[in-house]
Amino acid sequence: MKVEFAPLNIPLARRLQTAAVLQWVLSFLLLAEVCIGVLLLLIFYNYWFLYIPYLTWLYFDWHTPERGGRRSNWVRSWTVWRYFKDYFPIHLIKTGDLDPSHNYIFGFHPHGVLVAGAFGNFCTNYSDFTKLFPGFTAYLHILPIWFRCPLFREYLMSSGPVSVSKQSLCYVLSKEGGGNISVIVLGGAEESLDAHPGKCTLFIRRRKGFVKIALTHGAHLVPVFSFGENELFKQVSNPEGSWLRAVQDKLQKLMGFALPLFHARGIFQYSFGLMPYRKAIHTVVGQPIPVQQTLHPTSEQIEELHQKYMDELRKLFEEHKGKYGIPEHETLIFK
């Protein structure tokens, strides 16, 4: 394989963008394990005056990710996130106004490999979110397992993510007077295994829990499609029925998160590595779907709203795909 190296005269800003994304990728892949290792070393060498106070505090703080989290505007405003956003770059596009007297659920699609668009737009202060949606606070809901990692959970919560558990969603969407947005990557870990460049496969047909929660809380639904999300990485071929996909599916069911074998470019060369490609991400926020609060929705009501959501999601994709490089013949595949 021929290796294509990056030129030496790359501007400093682009070098800093690469460094920003590198630390984000490494944080996603390794920081949780490092934090667990640090805590185990403190216990092993009996630094009780460090680990006992932390574990005591952790016991009382355990449910914070289900109660709105603990975001830090200081962390969200770190300059590193501006370079992170500009690496791809990441754009947020609004197609309609939202009423700040209501709470909303943003259904984010597709998952991609590392959900860069969702993080860049909703977990940093360098996106256009506050300008486009004044008066709103966005909460990115992620797998609860990430908040079970000591030390790492504190760093994670500081950017704004919260648990995707039912209790967490109900907490965010119960705010009196509105103004909260729950951002849910509906395809979940399972969808990441189908995140191949050029593919538009979404795991949505069996995802109906968010619809029931929307009905019980009267939260309006908003489809969101992030064009370019699946173009950031390539994956080792894993078609359904292959031995690799069978192993990945089994591990996903056992551990709760998927293990896509992804690759893209490196730090100083463009041929291989775990750095994402520099591909623009355009996260398009669709029109809101009004939802009337129904404390005890029937299965028929859930099915009807779920179908309407899928119809609006498909409409959003079809209206905007031509602007962002999707061929006219390509369409969404719902699984």
Side-chain angles (χ1 to χ4, degrees):
M1 179 181 66
K2 182 180 179 181
V3 178
E4 180 185 358
F5 288 95
L8 296 176
N9 59 343
I10 286 181
L12 177 61
R14 287 178 68 86
R15 295 290 191 193
L16 292 174
Q17 291 166 10
T18 301
V21 173
L22 174 64
Q23 67 81 28
W24 179 75
V25 171
L26 292 179
S27 295
F28 185 88
L29 296 177
L30 300 175
L31 188 56
E33 293 85 346
V34 170
C35 289
I36 293 173
V38 168
L39 183 62
L40 290 176
L41 285 174
L42 292 176
I43 295 173
F44 182 80
Y45 288 105
N46 200 27
Y47 285 92
W48 60 268
F49 53 90
L50 293 177
Y51 72 79
I52 288 182
Y54 175 73
L55 291 178
T56 302
W57 178 80
L58 181 62
Y59 174 80
F60 290 103
D61 191 65
W62 190 250
H63 295 291
T64 296
E66 296 180 339
R67 297 169 181 166
R70 186 172 46 249
R71 68 181 57 203
S72 164
N73 273 322
W74 176 65
V75 173
R76 290 167 59 93
S77 298
W78 283 354
T79 305
V80 66
W81 303 130
R82 173 164 62 85
Y83 287 112
F84 171 86
K85 170 182 173 287
D86 292 341
Y87 173 90
F88 299 97
I90 298 173
H91 306 279
L92 186 64
I93 297 96
K94 181 176 79 169
T95 63
D97 292 327
L98 304 184
D99 183 352
S101 66
H102 291 290
N103 295 315
Y104 292 82
I105 293 178
F106 278 15
F108 187 94
H109 312 270
H111 184 287
V113 173
L114 298 182
V115 210
F119 179 86
N121 280 312
F122 304 114
C123 296
T124 77
N125 289 341
Y126 289 100
S127 79
D128 290 329
F129 177 80
T130 54
K131 181 176 71 174
L132 296 176
F133 303 101
F136 285 96
T137 302
Y139 295 84
L140 178 62
H141 294 264
I142 65 174
L143 288 174
I145 191 172
W146 293 112
F147 299 105
R148 295 169 189 156
C149 298
L151 301 176
F152 177 73
R153 69 192 291 275
E154 324 306 338
Y155 175 66
L156 186 60
M157 276 194 289
S158 66
S159 294
V162 293
S163 172
V164 77
S165 67
K166 180 181 178 181
Q167 293 88 341
S168 178
L169 286 162
C170 291
Y171 182 93
V172 172
L173 297 173
S174 296
K175 181 188 176 186
E176 292 291 335
N180 276 357
I181 297 174
S182 283
V183 183
I184 312 174
V185 187
L186 294 175
E190 189 178 10
E191 190 175 277
S192 69
L193 298 177
D194 268 328
H196 294 272
K199 291 189 67 175
C200 301
T201 303
L202 304 181
F203 286 69
I204 183 67
R205 292 197 181 277
R206 290 180 293 169
R207 306 293 205 269
K208 299 177 183 177
F210 76 100
V211 175
K212 184 176 181 179
I213 288 177
L215 284 165
T216 55
H217 289 274
H220 297 348
L221 291 173
V222 182
V224 178
F225 197 90
S226 195
F227 293 91
E229 198 77 43
N230 281 352
E231 312 303 315
L232 303 183
F233 296 96
K234 295 178 181 177
Q235 285 195 54
V236 175
S237 180
N238 61 340
E240 291 188 1
S242 66
W243 69 269
L244 176 57
R245 186 57 169 268
V247 171
Q248 289 174 321
D249 287 341
K250 192 172 184 65
L251 289 174
Q252 189 263 321
K253 290 175 182 177
L254 285 173
M255 300 186 299
F257 60 90
L259 294 173
L261 298 181
F262 63 91
H263 59 93
R265 52 160 289 185
I267 304 171
F268 302 111
Q269 44 75 29
Y270 305 131
S271 302
F272 60 90
L274 297 179
M275 288 286 293
Y277 294 116
R278 283 182 181 266
K279 300 282 188 179
I281 299 173
H282 295 89
T283 303
V284 183
V285 180
Q287 297 281 348
I289 303 169
V291 176
Q292 184 69 37
Q293 186 174 23
T294 308
L295 295 179
H296 302 288
T298 64
S299 58
E300 290 78 13
Q301 290 173 314
I302 293 172
E303 286 290 342
E304 181 183 357
L305 183 56
H306 184 257
Q307 185 59 53
K308 186 173 183 180
Y309 177 85
M310 290 195 296
D311 292 342
E312 288 297 318
L313 175 59
R314 188 181 296 279
K315 179 182 175 183
L316 178 70
F317 176 81
E318 293 295 332
E319 286 181 352
H320 295 274
K321 66 182 182 181
K323 302 175 187 176
Y324 306 118
I326 305 293
E328 186 62 31
H329 67 273
E330 288 288 347
T331 187
L332 291 180
I333 299 173
F334 291 156
K335 286 188 175 181

